[in-house]
PDB file of all heavy atoms in Angstrom:
ATOM      1  N   ALA A   1     -63.732  10.508  29.571  1.00 91.00           N
ATOM      2  CA  ALA A   1     -63.124  11.838  29.555  1.00 91.00           C
ATOM      3  C   ALA A   1     -62.575  12.191  28.176  1.00 91.00           C
ATOM      4  O   ALA A   1     -62.367  13.364  27.867  1.00 91.00           O
ATOM      5  CB  ALA A   1     -62.014  11.915  30.594  1.00 91.00           C
ATOM      6  N   ALA A   2     -62.333  11.174  27.354  1.00 92.00           N
ATOM      7  CA  ALA A   2     -61.779  11.414  26.019  1.00 92.00           C
ATOM      8  C   ALA A   2     -62.861  11.677  24.975  1.00 92.00           C
ATOM      9  O   ALA A   2     -62.545  12.041  23.841  1.00 92.00           O
ATOM     10  CB  ALA A   2     -60.928  10.213  25.586  1.00 92.00           C
ATOM     11  N   LEU A   3     -64.128  11.507  25.353  1.00 89.00           N
ATOM     12  CA  LEU A   3     -65.218  11.715  24.407  1.00 89.00           C
ATOM     13  C   LEU A   3     -65.615  13.189  24.370  1.00 89.00           C
ATOM     14  O   LEU A   3     -65.674  13.842  25.411  1.00 89.00           O
ATOM     15  CB  LEU A   3     -66.437  10.881  24.803  1.00 89.00           C
ATOM     16  CG  LEU A   3     -66.265   9.367  24.810  1.00 89.00           C
ATOM     17  CD1 LEU A   3     -67.533   8.708  25.332  1.00 89.00           C
ATOM     18  CD2 LEU A   3     -65.931   8.843  23.424  1.00 89.00           C
ATOM     19  N   PRO A   4     -65.912  13.741  23.196  1.00 86.00           N
ATOM     20  CA  PRO A   4     -66.407  15.120  23.130  1.00 86.00           C
ATOM     21  C   PRO A   4     -67.716  15.254  23.898  1.00 86.00           C
ATOM     22  O   PRO A   4     -68.523  14.315  23.957  1.00 86.00           O
ATOM     23  CB  PRO A   4     -66.627  15.347  21.628  1.00 86.00           C
ATOM     24  CG  PRO A   4     -65.801  14.315  20.946  1.00 86.00           C
ATOM     25  CD  PRO A   4     -65.773  13.125  21.867  1.00 86.00           C
ATOM     26  N   ALA A   5     -67.924  16.406  24.527  1.00 80.00           N
ATOM     27  CA  ALA A   5     -69.163  16.637  25.271  1.00 80.00           C
ATOM     28  C   ALA A   5     -70.379  16.561  24.363  1.00 80.00           C
ATOM     29  O   ALA A   5     -71.497  16.355  24.833  1.00 80.00           O
ATOM     30  CB  ALA A   5     -69.112  17.988  25.966  1.00 80.00           C
ATOM     31  N   THR A   6     -70.185  16.719  23.070  1.00 81.00           N
ATOM     32  CA  THR A   6     -71.285  16.686  22.110  1.00 81.00           C
ATOM     33  C   THR A   6     -71.602  15.274  21.616  1.00 81.00           C
ATOM     34  O   THR A   6     -72.456  15.098  20.755  1.00 81.00           O
ATOM     35  CB  THR A   6     -70.951  17.558  20.888  1.00 81.00           C
ATOM     36  OG1 THR A   6     -69.683  17.140  20.343  1.00 81.00           O
ATOM     37  CG2 THR A   6     -70.861  19.028  21.285  1.00 81.00           C
ATOM     38  N   THR A   7     -70.936  14.261  22.161  1.00 86.00           N
ATOM     39  CA  THR A   7     -71.186  12.881  21.739  1.00 86.00           C
ATOM     40  C   THR A   7     -72.651  12.523  21.941  1.00 86.00           C
ATOM     41  O   THR A   7     -73.211  12.739  23.020  1.00 86.00           O
ATOM     42  CB  THR A   7     -70.303  11.908  22.534  1.00 86.00           C
ATOM     43  OG1 THR A   7     -68.930  12.224  22.307  1.00 86.00           O
ATOM     44  CG2 THR A   7     -70.563  10.464  22.110  1.00 86.00           C
ATOM     45  N   TYR A   8     -73.287  11.959  20.923  1.00 86.00           N
ATOM     46  CA  TYR A   8     -74.678  11.528  21.043  1.00 86.00           C
ATOM     47  C   TYR A   8     -74.765  10.441  22.092  1.00 86.00           C
ATOM     48  O   TYR A   8     -73.982   9.496  22.089  1.00 86.00           O
ATOM     49  CB  TYR A   8     -75.193  11.022  19.691  1.00 86.00           C
ATOM     50  CG  TYR A   8     -76.607  10.500  19.756  1.00 86.00           C
ATOM     51  CD1 TYR A   8     -77.659  11.359  20.059  1.00 86.00           C
ATOM     52  CD2 TYR A   8     -76.894   9.162  19.540  1.00 86.00           C
ATOM     53  CE1 TYR A   8     -78.964  10.912  20.141  1.00 86.00           C
ATOM     54  CE2 TYR A   8     -78.198   8.692  19.610  1.00 86.00           C
ATOM     55  CZ  TYR A   8     -79.223   9.572  19.916  1.00 86.00           C
ATOM     56  OH  TYR A   8     -80.514   9.105  20.002  1.00 86.00           O
ATOM     57  N   ASN A   9     -75.705  10.571  23.012  1.00 86.00           N
ATOM     58  CA  ASN A   9     -75.745   9.632  24.134  1.00 86.00           C
ATOM     59  C   ASN A   9     -76.936   8.690  24.126  1.00 86.00           C
ATOM     60  O   ASN A   9     -77.255   8.077  25.134  1.00 86.00           O
ATOM     61  CB  ASN A   9     -75.674  10.389  25.474  1.00 86.00           C
ATOM     62  CG  ASN A   9     -76.885  11.258  25.728  1.00 86.00           C
ATOM     63  OD1 ASN A   9     -77.899  11.150  25.032  1.00 86.00           O
ATOM     64  ND2 ASN A   9     -76.806  12.121  26.731  1.00 86.00           N
ATOM     65  N   GLY A  10     -77.608   8.545  22.986  1.00 88.00           N
ATOM     66  CA  GLY A  10     -78.660   7.548  22.888  1.00 88.00           C
ATOM     67  C   GLY A  10     -78.092   6.142  23.036  1.00 88.00           C
ATOM     68  O   GLY A  10     -76.923   5.886  22.766  1.00 88.00           O
ATOM     69  N   ASP A  11     -78.915   5.212  23.464  1.00 90.00           N
ATOM     70  CA  ASP A  11     -78.434   3.874  23.798  1.00 90.00           C
ATOM     71  C   ASP A  11     -77.887   3.133  22.586  1.00 90.00           C
ATOM     72  O   ASP A  11     -76.872   2.446  22.680  1.00 90.00           O
ATOM     73  CB  ASP A  11     -79.562   3.060  24.438  1.00 90.00           C
ATOM     74  CG  ASP A  11     -79.033   1.904  25.258  1.00 90.00           C
ATOM     75  OD1 ASP A  11     -78.302   2.145  26.234  1.00 90.00           O
ATOM     76  OD2 ASP A  11     -79.341   0.751  24.910  1.00 90.00           O
ATOM     77  N   THR A  12     -78.531   3.264  21.441  1.00 89.00           N
ATOM     78  CA  THR A  12     -78.073   2.539  20.258  1.00 89.00           C
ATOM     79  C   THR A  12     -76.661   2.957  19.877  1.00 89.00           C
ATOM     80  O   THR A  12     -75.801   2.114  19.589  1.00 89.00           O
ATOM     81  CB  THR A  12     -79.029   2.773  19.077  1.00 89.00           C
ATOM     82  OG1 THR A  12     -80.341   2.337  19.441  1.00 89.00           O
ATOM     83  CG2 THR A  12     -78.580   2.003  17.858  1.00 89.00           C
ATOM     84  N   TYR A  13     -76.385   4.271  19.913  1.00 90.00           N
ATOM     85  CA  TYR A  13     -75.046   4.741  19.573  1.00 90.00           C
ATOM     86  C   TYR A  13     -74.057   4.454  20.694  1.00 90.00           C
ATOM     87  O   TYR A  13     -72.944   3.984  20.452  1.00 90.00           O
ATOM     88  CB  TYR A  13     -75.061   6.239  19.280  1.00 90.00           C
ATOM     89  CG  TYR A  13     -73.672   6.767  18.951  1.00 90.00           C
ATOM     90  CD1 TYR A  13     -73.099   6.520  17.712  1.00 90.00           C
ATOM     91  CD2 TYR A  13     -72.940   7.478  19.896  1.00 90.00           C
ATOM     92  CE1 TYR A  13     -71.827   6.963  17.415  1.00 90.00           C
ATOM     93  CE2 TYR A  13     -71.670   7.939  19.610  1.00 90.00           C
ATOM     94  CZ  TYR A  13     -71.114   7.676  18.370  1.00 90.00           C
ATOM     95  OH  TYR A  13     -69.851   8.114  18.080  1.00 90.00           O
ATOM     96  N   THR A  14     -74.444   4.736  21.936  1.00 89.00           N
ATOM     97  CA  THR A  14     -73.536   4.535  23.071  1.00 89.00           C
ATOM     98  C   THR A  14     -73.079   3.087  23.170  1.00 89.00           C
ATOM     99  O   THR A  14     -71.936   2.810  23.546  1.00 89.00           O
ATOM    100  CB  THR A  14     -74.227   4.949  24.384  1.00 89.00           C
ATOM    101  OG1 THR A  14     -74.679   6.299  24.266  1.00 89.00           O
ATOM    102  CG2 THR A  14     -73.272   4.860  25.562  1.00 89.00           C
ATOM    103  N   SER A  15     -73.945   2.168  22.827  1.00 93.00           N
ATOM    104  CA  SER A  15     -73.603   0.750  22.945  1.00 93.00           C
ATOM    105  C   SER A  15     -72.461   0.350  22.024  1.00 93.00           C
ATOM    106  O   SER A  15     -71.814  -0.666  22.244  1.00 93.00           O
ATOM    107  CB  SER A  15     -74.833  -0.112  22.654  1.00 93.00           C
ATOM    108  OG  SER A  15     -75.239   0.009  21.301  1.00 93.00           O
ATOM    109  N   THR A  16     -72.184   1.153  20.995  1.00 93.00           N
ATOM    110  CA  THR A  16     -71.058   0.838  20.110  1.00 93.00           C
ATOM    111  C   THR A  16     -69.728   1.286  20.712  1.00 93.00           C
ATOM    112  O   THR A  16     -68.664   0.885  20.230  1.00 93.00           O
ATOM    113  CB  THR A  16     -71.240   1.524  18.740  1.00 93.00           C
ATOM    114  OG1 THR A  16     -71.160   2.952  18.889  1.00 93.00           O
ATOM    115  CG2 THR A  16     -72.582   1.168  18.130  1.00 93.00           C
ATOM    116  N   LEU A  17     -69.769   2.111  21.753  1.00 94.00           N
ATOM    117  CA  LEU A  17     -68.555   2.657  22.360  1.00 94.00           C
ATOM    118  C   LEU A  17     -68.045   1.820  23.533  1.00 94.00           C
ATOM    119  O   LEU A  17     -66.897   1.967  23.940  1.00 94.00           O
ATOM    120  CB  LEU A  17     -68.816   4.084  22.866  1.00 94.00           C
ATOM    121  CG  LEU A  17     -69.317   5.105  21.849  1.00 94.00           C
ATOM    122  CD1 LEU A  17     -69.587   6.431  22.545  1.00 94.00           C
ATOM    123  CD2 LEU A  17     -68.312   5.276  20.718  1.00 94.00           C
ATOM    124  N   TRP A  18     -68.909   0.963  24.072  1.00 94.00           N
ATOM    125  CA  TRP A  18     -68.586   0.281  25.323  1.00 94.00           C
ATOM    126  C   TRP A  18     -68.862  -1.212  25.237  1.00 94.00           C
ATOM    127  O   TRP A  18     -69.707  -1.667  24.462  1.00 94.00           O
ATOM    128  CB  TRP A  18     -69.444   0.842  26.466  1.00 94.00           C
ATOM    129  CG  TRP A  18     -69.398   2.319  26.582  1.00 94.00           C
ATOM    130  CD1 TRP A  18     -70.255   3.228  26.015  1.00 94.00           C
ATOM    131  CD2 TRP A  18     -68.434   3.081  27.285  1.00 94.00           C
ATOM    132  NE1 TRP A  18     -69.873   4.493  26.339  1.00 94.00           N
ATOM    133  CE2 TRP A  18     -68.761   4.446  27.118  1.00 94.00           C
ATOM    134  CE3 TRP A  18     -67.313   2.743  28.060  1.00 94.00           C
ATOM    135  CZ2 TRP A  18     -68.019   5.466  27.682  1.00 94.00           C
ATOM    136  CZ3 TRP A  18     -66.577   3.766  28.624  1.00 94.00           C
ATOM    137  CH2 TRP A  18     -66.928   5.110  28.435  1.00 94.00           C
ATOM    138  N   ASP A  19     -68.202  -1.946  26.099  1.00 97.00           N
ATOM    139  CA  ASP A  19     -68.643  -3.275  26.481  1.00 97.00           C
ATOM    140  C   ASP A  19     -69.358  -3.125  27.809  1.00 97.00           C
ATOM    141  O   ASP A  19     -69.143  -2.160  28.535  1.00 97.00           O
ATOM    142  CB  ASP A  19     -67.443  -4.227  26.626  1.00 97.00           C
ATOM    143  CG  ASP A  19     -66.740  -4.459  25.303  1.00 97.00           C
ATOM    144  OD1 ASP A  19     -67.416  -4.882  24.351  1.00 97.00           O
ATOM    145  OD2 ASP A  19     -65.531  -4.200  25.232  1.00 97.00           O
ATOM    146  N   GLY A  20     -70.213  -4.092  28.141  1.00 98.00           N
ATOM    147  CA  GLY A  20     -70.900  -4.025  29.427  1.00 98.00           C
ATOM    148  C   GLY A  20     -72.375  -4.295  29.300  1.00 98.00           C
ATOM    149  O   GLY A  20     -72.816  -5.045  28.428  1.00 98.00           O
ATOM    150  N   TRP A  21     -73.164  -3.642  30.163  1.00 98.00           N
ATOM    151  CA  TRP A  21     -74.597  -3.870  30.190  1.00 98.00           C
ATOM    152  C   TRP A  21     -75.286  -2.741  30.951  1.00 98.00           C
ATOM    153  O   TRP A  21     -74.649  -1.990  31.687  1.00 98.00           O
ATOM    154  CB  TRP A  21     -74.936  -5.213  30.847  1.00 98.00           C
ATOM    155  CG  TRP A  21     -74.178  -5.482  32.131  1.00 98.00           C
ATOM    156  CD1 TRP A  21     -72.997  -6.161  32.251  1.00 98.00           C
ATOM    157  CD2 TRP A  21     -74.528  -5.063  33.455  1.00 98.00           C
ATOM    158  NE1 TRP A  21     -72.601  -6.199  33.579  1.00 98.00           N
ATOM    159  CE2 TRP A  21     -73.519  -5.534  34.332  1.00 98.00           C
ATOM    160  CE3 TRP A  21     -75.596  -4.347  33.987  1.00 98.00           C
ATOM    161  CZ2 TRP A  21     -73.558  -5.297  35.703  1.00 98.00           C
ATOM    162  CZ3 TRP A  21     -75.633  -4.107  35.358  1.00 98.00           C
ATOM    163  CH2 TRP A  21     -74.624  -4.587  36.203  1.00 98.00           C
ATOM    164  N   ARG A  22     -76.595  -2.649  30.762  1.00 97.00           N
ATOM    165  CA  ARG A  22     -77.383  -1.677  31.522  1.00 97.00           C
ATOM    166  C   ARG A  22     -78.774  -2.261  31.785  1.00 97.00           C
ATOM    167  O   ARG A  22     -79.309  -3.064  31.016  1.00 97.00           O
ATOM    168  CB  ARG A  22     -77.456  -0.336  30.801  1.00 97.00           C
ATOM    169  CG  ARG A  22     -77.983  -0.359  29.377  1.00 97.00           C
ATOM    170  CD  ARG A  22     -79.478  -0.401  29.295  1.00 97.00           C
ATOM    171  NE  ARG A  22     -79.993  -0.223  27.942  1.00 97.00           N
ATOM    172  CZ  ARG A  22     -81.187  -0.637  27.565  1.00 97.00           C
ATOM    173  NH1 ARG A  22     -81.974  -1.287  28.405  1.00 97.00           N
ATOM    174  NH2 ARG A  22     -81.610  -0.435  26.333  1.00 97.00           N
ATOM    175  N   ILE A  23     -79.352  -1.841  32.901  1.00 96.00           N
ATOM    176  CA  ILE A  23     -80.701  -2.250  33.296  1.00 96.00           C
ATOM    177  C   ILE A  23     -81.630  -1.056  33.143  1.00 96.00           C
ATOM    178  O   ILE A  23     -81.295   0.060  33.551  1.00 96.00           O
ATOM    179  CB  ILE A  23     -80.727  -2.752  34.747  1.00 96.00           C
ATOM    180  CG1 ILE A  23     -79.935  -4.054  34.861  1.00 96.00           C
ATOM    181  CG2 ILE A  23     -82.161  -2.960  35.242  1.00 96.00           C
ATOM    182  CD1 ILE A  23     -79.757  -4.538  36.289  1.00 96.00           C
ATOM    183  N   THR A  24     -82.773  -1.275  32.543  1.00 92.00           N
ATOM    184  CA  THR A  24     -83.785  -0.232  32.395  1.00 92.00           C
ATOM    185  C   THR A  24     -84.807  -0.358  33.509  1.00 92.00           C
ATOM    186  O   THR A  24     -85.430  -1.404  33.683  1.00 92.00           O
ATOM    187  CB  THR A  24     -84.499  -0.349  31.043  1.00 92.00           C
ATOM    188  OG1 THR A  24     -83.535  -0.227  29.998  1.00 92.00           O
ATOM    189  CG2 THR A  24     -85.535   0.747  30.877  1.00 92.00           C
ATOM    190  N   HIS A  25     -84.963   0.729  34.267  1.00 88.00           N
ATOM    191  CA  HIS A  25     -86.043   0.781  35.249  1.00 88.00           C
ATOM    192  C   HIS A  25     -87.354   1.058  34.531  1.00 88.00           C
ATOM    193  O   HIS A  25     -87.387   1.724  33.498  1.00 88.00           O
ATOM    194  CB  HIS A  25     -85.776   1.875  36.281  1.00 88.00           C
ATOM    195  CG  HIS A  25     -84.717   1.513  37.267  1.00 88.00           C
ATOM    196  ND1 HIS A  25     -84.887   0.517  38.194  1.00 88.00           N
ATOM    197  CD2 HIS A  25     -83.468   1.998  37.458  1.00 88.00           C
ATOM    198  CE1 HIS A  25     -83.792   0.408  38.929  1.00 88.00           C
ATOM    199  NE2 HIS A  25     -82.908   1.293  38.500  1.00 88.00           N
ATOM    200  N   ALA A  26     -88.418   0.552  35.094  1.00 71.00           N
ATOM    201  CA  ALA A  26     -89.734   0.667  34.466  1.00 71.00           C
ATOM    202  C   ALA A  26     -90.058   2.109  34.141  1.00 71.00           C
ATOM    203  O   ALA A  26     -89.700   3.031  34.861  1.00 71.00           O
ATOM    204  CB  ALA A  26     -90.799   0.095  35.404  1.00 71.00           C
ATOM    205  N   ASN A  27     -90.741   2.310  33.013  1.00 73.00           N
ATOM    206  CA  ASN A  27     -91.038   3.658  32.558  1.00 73.00           C
ATOM    207  C   ASN A  27     -92.468   3.756  32.075  1.00 73.00           C
ATOM    208  O   ASN A  27     -93.222   2.791  32.119  1.00 73.00           O
ATOM    209  CB  ASN A  27     -90.070   4.062  31.435  1.00 73.00           C
ATOM    210  CG  ASN A  27     -90.110   3.089  30.263  1.00 73.00           C
ATOM    211  OD1 ASN A  27     -91.105   2.424  30.021  1.00 73.00           O
ATOM    212  ND2 ASN A  27     -89.016   3.009  29.534  1.00 73.00           N
ATOM    213  N   LYS A  28     -92.838   4.954  31.625  1.00 66.00           N
ATOM    214  CA  LYS A  28     -94.122   5.094  30.954  1.00 66.00           C
ATOM    215  C   LYS A  28     -93.880   4.939  29.470  1.00 66.00           C
ATOM    216  O   LYS A  28     -93.045   5.603  28.888  1.00 66.00           O
ATOM    217  CB  LYS A  28     -94.765   6.449  31.241  1.00 66.00           C
ATOM    218  CG  LYS A  28     -96.120   6.592  30.551  1.00 66.00           C
ATOM    219  CD  LYS A  28     -96.890   7.800  31.015  1.00 66.00           C
ATOM    220  CE  LYS A  28     -98.250   7.825  30.313  1.00 66.00           C
ATOM    221  NZ  LYS A  28     -99.080   8.950  30.767  1.00 66.00           N
ATOM    222  N   ASP A  29     -94.648   4.084  28.837  1.00 57.00           N
ATOM    223  CA  ASP A  29     -94.374   3.695  27.459  1.00 57.00           C
ATOM    224  C   ASP A  29     -95.699   3.296  26.829  1.00 57.00           C
ATOM    225  O   ASP A  29     -96.621   2.878  27.523  1.00 57.00           O
ATOM    226  CB  ASP A  29     -93.409   2.507  27.480  1.00 57.00           C
ATOM    227  CG  ASP A  29     -92.802   2.183  26.131  1.00 57.00           C
ATOM    228  OD1 ASP A  29     -93.527   2.207  25.124  1.00 57.00           O
ATOM    229  OD2 ASP A  29     -91.614   1.881  26.103  1.00 57.00           O
ATOM    230  N   LEU A  30     -95.769   3.410  25.530  1.00 53.00           N
ATOM    231  CA  LEU A  30     -96.967   2.930  24.851  1.00 53.00           C
ATOM    232  C   LEU A  30     -97.006   1.412  24.790  1.00 53.00           C
ATOM    233  O   LEU A  30     -98.048   0.826  24.537  1.00 53.00           O
ATOM    234  CB  LEU A  30     -97.027   3.514  23.436  1.00 53.00           C
ATOM    235  CG  LEU A  30     -97.114   5.043  23.372  1.00 53.00           C
ATOM    236  CD1 LEU A  30     -97.214   5.505  21.922  1.00 53.00           C
ATOM    237  CD2 LEU A  30     -98.308   5.550  24.162  1.00 53.00           C
ATOM    238  N   LYS A  31     -95.852   0.775  25.036  1.00 55.00           N
ATOM    239  CA  LYS A  31     -95.768  -0.690  25.015  1.00 55.00           C
ATOM    240  C   LYS A  31     -95.712  -1.171  26.455  1.00 55.00           C
ATOM    241  O   LYS A  31     -94.651  -1.455  26.998  1.00 55.00           O
ATOM    242  CB  LYS A  31     -94.545  -1.138  24.218  1.00 55.00           C
ATOM    243  CG  LYS A  31     -94.578  -0.709  22.759  1.00 55.00           C
ATOM    244  CD  LYS A  31     -93.265  -0.988  22.066  1.00 55.00           C
ATOM    245  CE  LYS A  31     -92.179  -0.057  22.546  1.00 55.00           C
ATOM    246  NZ  LYS A  31     -90.930  -0.189  21.774  1.00 55.00           N
ATOM    247  N   GLU A  32     -96.860  -1.246  27.112  1.00 53.00           N
ATOM    248  CA  GLU A  32     -96.896  -1.490  28.551  1.00 53.00           C
ATOM    249  C   GLU A  32     -96.282  -2.831  28.947  1.00 53.00           C
ATOM    250  O   GLU A  32     -95.751  -2.983  30.033  1.00 53.00           O
ATOM    251  CB  GLU A  32     -98.339  -1.417  29.059  1.00 53.00           C
ATOM    252  CG  GLU A  32     -98.933  -0.017  28.990  1.00 53.00           C
ATOM    253  CD  GLU A  32     -98.224   0.970  29.897  1.00 53.00           C
ATOM    254  OE1 GLU A  32     -97.578   0.527  30.862  1.00 53.00           O
ATOM    255  OE2 GLU A  32     -98.308   2.179  29.643  1.00 53.00           O
ATOM    256  N   ILE A  33     -96.345  -3.815  28.070  1.00 51.00           N
ATOM    257  CA  ILE A  33     -95.791  -5.128  28.421  1.00 51.00           C
ATOM    258  C   ILE A  33     -94.300  -5.008  28.699  1.00 51.00           C
ATOM    259  O   ILE A  33     -93.761  -5.625  29.610  1.00 51.00           O
ATOM    260  CB  ILE A  33     -96.061  -6.155  27.301  1.00 51.00           C
ATOM    261  CG1 ILE A  33     -97.559  -6.444  27.206  1.00 51.00           C
ATOM    262  CG2 ILE A  33     -95.292  -7.440  27.544  1.00 51.00           C
ATOM    263  CD1 ILE A  33     -97.931  -7.382  26.079  1.00 51.00           C
TER     264      ILE A  33
END
């Protein structure tokens, strides 16, 4: 709630704001492996 609504929410930047973890569900990607 203290973060500006304009905060960049990409994973690389967001990871600097928090401790914790996240799981990625399978997606469509050029790197199928």
Side-chain angles (χ1 to χ4, degrees):
L3 298 175
T6 54
T7 300
Y8 177 65
N9 66 12
D11 201 61
T12 301
Y13 179 76
T14 304
S15 66
T16 66
L17 303 177
W18 308 93
D19 295 304
W21 45 267
R22 55 81 171 158
I23 293 173
T24 301
H25 285 293
N27 57 26
K28 181 169 182 177
D29 192 318
L30 298 182
K31 298 171 289 187
E32 292 296 338
I33 293 177

